[in-house]
Amino acid sequence: MLKRLVKWARVKSPWILHFNSGACNACDIEILAALMPHYDLERFGILLKASPRHADVLICSGPVTKQVAKRLKRIYDQMPEPKFVVAVGACACSGGAFRGCYNVMEGVDQVIPVSAYVPGCPVKPEAIIDGVAKLLGKLQQSAA
Amino acid sequence: MDAIKVLIYIAIFPGFLFQSVFSTYLEWLDRKLYARMQNRLGPLYTGWNGILQPVADILKLFAKEDIVPASADKFMFNLMPVLSLASVFAAGLYLPIWHLTSYNSFEGDLIVVAYLLAIPSFALFLAGWFSVSPFSLIGATRVLTQLFAYEVPFFLALLTPAVMAGSWKIATISSYPWTSGSWWVIPVQLIAFGVALLTLQAKLERVPFDSPEAETEVVGGPLTEYSGKKLGMFRLQKDILLFVGSALVAALFLGGFGGGIILGCIQLVLKTIFVVILLSVVRAACARIRIDQIVTFSWKYLAPASLVQLLIVLLIKGWKGVA
């Protein structure tokens, strides 16, 4: 009973943290567009938080550059459990246009575990919302 | 019997349970109004029109991992959320929301409530100070600077109805229009009402006075390092402060909650909601102002305005010959 209640609360109130892990800014603009009044993610209880300590879902955009990898790991470690990572954009999923470059890690999952991938270059706001909704759906189905 | 009654007062009606439930409702109302004024819908899918959204937020936070940073002072870091939550709960117990009086009111409880409502700000400052991170330190110093800005106008504004009623007891002040039949005191105290609203907004650290926790500058302000249930406690504390502050302003400036238990409760709900709506309008209509602008604004405009209001009240009292 308590577990179900906690799961309900978790699904209904995912707070996100937006982290640019070396993206070209296109995906970041799309993420901000998804947060704007037109799509209004607060309908689902999604709030953008500034501190990793407050957040549940880390939204990463960009092929993790070698310089940012350490910072990304630290940000991830600062988040309290349970935590989820959504890789937004082709770069964050696999390196995208930067795949094979000498200075990138080719995807967020090379550094931290990723729960959901949203491909696109840049992704559409609808795709981001769909990805987060699918993540929440998976969370809902999982045994608490 | 009396012990049980007092226990019910503390635990259920004006106390813990009622305050928690009603304050989460007020947060939902505030968020919904804020969203509507920004042409959004606000929380929609958590319960009826998202009414359970604040509950879900707090429950989730209570179920999350609780991190204490290695550099933080463990004792103070753990104490501050509890202290701030306890002080706003205690302040709520003195509200005259039963009959015209609360069960534990005494001469001078207005000062006690003003003191108890100042503790959360200090707790926030100490919480930021002892979590030892650059962002929380800057946020903490801003909390304290802001406290010096709004606290004096807030007290001066609370002083006006007290001088009008000639008492330091919240119950006497709020029942003054009922017992003396002089309802004209409400329009007369309009300036002090406005000052109290703005300073309450600053106390709650909401836009335009949210520079202590400005996300774009200092991440989360004093709460940057807080996570899990301690952050949940701070969130609940802010909701209850919203309720207690609005109910206090409603009791002092909007004629209290008289007229028997049922009418009193209805008035409590309606008047508190009215004050929260005004606060939401201020929040939606303004942009953040800098910390030095907050101090200038408070001391240049709010404090003189409340002094003028005090002068008006004293003149009226002298003219009527009741002083």
Side-chain angles (χ1 to χ4, degrees):
Chain A
M1 177 63 199
L2 200 65
K3 272 187 177 172
R4 278 185 56 197
L5 198 66
V6 166
K7 198 166 87 176
W8 168 80
R10 251 172 219 160
V11 171
K12 291 296 184 186
S13 153
W15 290 354
I16 63 170
L17 175 73
H18 170 205
F19 183 75
N20 179 337
S21 50
C24 67
N25 243 337
C27 291
D28 301 292
I29 291 168
E30 298 301 323
I31 290 169
L32 294 183
L35 290 162
M36 286 289 132
H38 185 69
Y39 295 103
D40 187 24
L41 286 184
E42 204 189 353
R43 283 180 298 153
F44 308 102
I46 297 175
L47 288 182
L48 181 66
K49 286 284 155 184
S51 166
R53 301 263 195 231
H54 302 185
D56 308 296
V57 181
L58 178 64
I59 295 205
C60 289
S61 55
V64 184
T65 58
K66 291 221 159 110
Q67 195 175 15
V68 92
K70 246 189 286 175
R71 275 88 171 176
L72 177 61
K73 184 83 180 59
R74 201 193 300 157
I75 294 272
Y76 181 73
D77 289 340
Q78 279 174 351
M79 286 169 62
E81 292 280 353
K83 52 193 170 187
F84 308 95
V85 179
V86 178
V88 166
C91 302
C93 294
S94 64
F98 301 99
R99 194 171 177 88
C101 278
Y102 65 96
N103 59 346
V104 298
M105 305 286 287
E106 302 186 349
V108 177
D109 53 4
Q110 304 292 315
V111 186
I112 51 176
V114 176
S115 318
Y117 297 87
V118 184
C121 186
V123 289
K124 278 191 157 194
E126 290 94 335
I128 300 173
I129 297 168
D130 185 48
V132 174
K134 278 193 176 131
L135 173 72
L136 294 178
K138 228 171 89 182
L139 191 64
Q140 182 121 50
Q141 282 157 18
S142 68
Chain B
M1 231 16 235
D2 272 1
I4 296 171
K5 222 170 164 183
V6 168
L7 212 62
I8 289 175
Y9 284 152
I10 292 175
I12 300 173
F13 178 57
F16 193 81
L17 198 67
F18 173 75
Q19 283 183 29
S20 317
V21 171
F22 190 56
S23 62
T24 52
Y25 166 72
L26 286 180
E27 192 206 328
W28 169 77
L29 184 76
D30 173 52
R31 276 169 75 168
K32 202 79 181 165
L33 282 170
Y34 188 53
R36 289 310 295 154
M37 280 182 250
Q38 291 180 336
N39 214 359
R40 295 188 288 130
L41 285 169
L44 200 59
Y45 297 113
T46 316
W48 177 79
N49 272 346
I51 197 165
L52 292 175
Q53 189 61 52
V55 181
D57 288 347
I58 287 167
L59 269 179
K60 177 207 71 177
L61 284 174
F62 271 81
K64 266 182 95 81
E65 187 191 3
D66 193 6
I67 302 173
V68 180
S71 59
D73 183 307
K74 305 240 161 5
F75 177 72
M76 295 300 269
F77 190 82
N78 293 333
L79 176 67
M80 281 313 140
V82 184
L83 183 70
S84 59
L85 191 56
S87 61
V88 284
F89 268 133
L93 292 178
Y94 288 99
L95 292 172
I97 59 184
W98 193 256
H99 312 286
L100 276 171
T101 171
S102 66
Y103 67 96
N104 56 357
S105 75
F106 54 89
E107 192 61 41
D109 56 1
L110 180 60
I111 300 169
V112 174
V113 169
Y115 171 71
L116 284 172
L117 289 184
I119 289 181
S121 305
F122 278 104
L124 204 57
F125 161 69
L126 289 173
W129 189 260
F130 283 106
S131 50
V132 195
S133 111
F135 301 118
S136 64
L137 286 182
I138 296 173
T141 45
R142 283 187 185 184
V143 169
L144 212 56
T145 316
Q146 185 163 316
L147 182 81
F148 287 123
Y150 66 73
E151 204 68 350
V152 171
F154 184 61
F155 285 169
L156 281 174
L158 295 190
L159 187 65
T160 313
V163 168
M164 195 56 144
S167 168
W168 283 112
K169 198 171 169 182
I170 299 176
T172 319
I173 300 167
S174 72
S175 63
Y176 181 68
W178 297 79
T179 49
S180 67
S182 43
W183 288 94
W184 49 265
V185 296
I186 295 171
V188 163
Q189 292 169 353
L190 218 54
I191 303 174
F193 178 58
V195 172
L197 270 184
L198 286 176
T199 47
L200 183 65
Q201 188 86 334
K203 204 182 240 319
L204 288 158
E205 276 155 20
R206 286 144 57 92
V207 183
F209 305 106
D210 68 332
S211 97
E213 45 192 58
E215 299 99 352
T216 42
E217 299 162 22
V218 287
V219 185
L223 300 181
T224 303
E225 296 293 334
Y226 276 88
S227 61
K229 42 178 149 344
K230 283 170 207 139
L231 183 64
M233 274 188 218
F234 270 120
R235 230 183 136 76
L236 190 61
Q237 173 253 321
K238 193 137 279 185
D239 290 358
I240 294 170
L241 188 60
L242 177 64
F243 162 62
V244 174
S246 330
L248 182 69
V249 168
L252 295 180
F253 295 100
L254 298 179
F257 321 114
I261 290 181
I262 297 167
L263 202 59
C265 285
I266 294 171
Q267 282 189 65
L268 166 74
V269 170
L270 289 183
K271 285 179 178 173
T272 313
I273 287 175
F274 176 66
V275 174
V276 170
I277 289 173
L278 289 181
L279 290 177
S280 306
V281 170
V282 173
R283 180 168 164 232
C286 296
R288 183 191 308 139
I289 55 178
R290 283 197 317 265
I291 187 76
D292 59 315
Q293 289 170 331
I294 293 174
V295 177
T296 316
F297 176 68
S298 302
W299 285 101
K300 254 190 189 164
Y301 302 106
L302 290 184
S306 38
L307 283 176
V308 166
Q309 172 71 80
L310 205 58
L311 190 69
I312 292 172
V313 167
L314 286 174
L315 284 176
I316 288 173
K317 281 200 81 135
W319 176 57
K320 286 184 72 80
V322 282

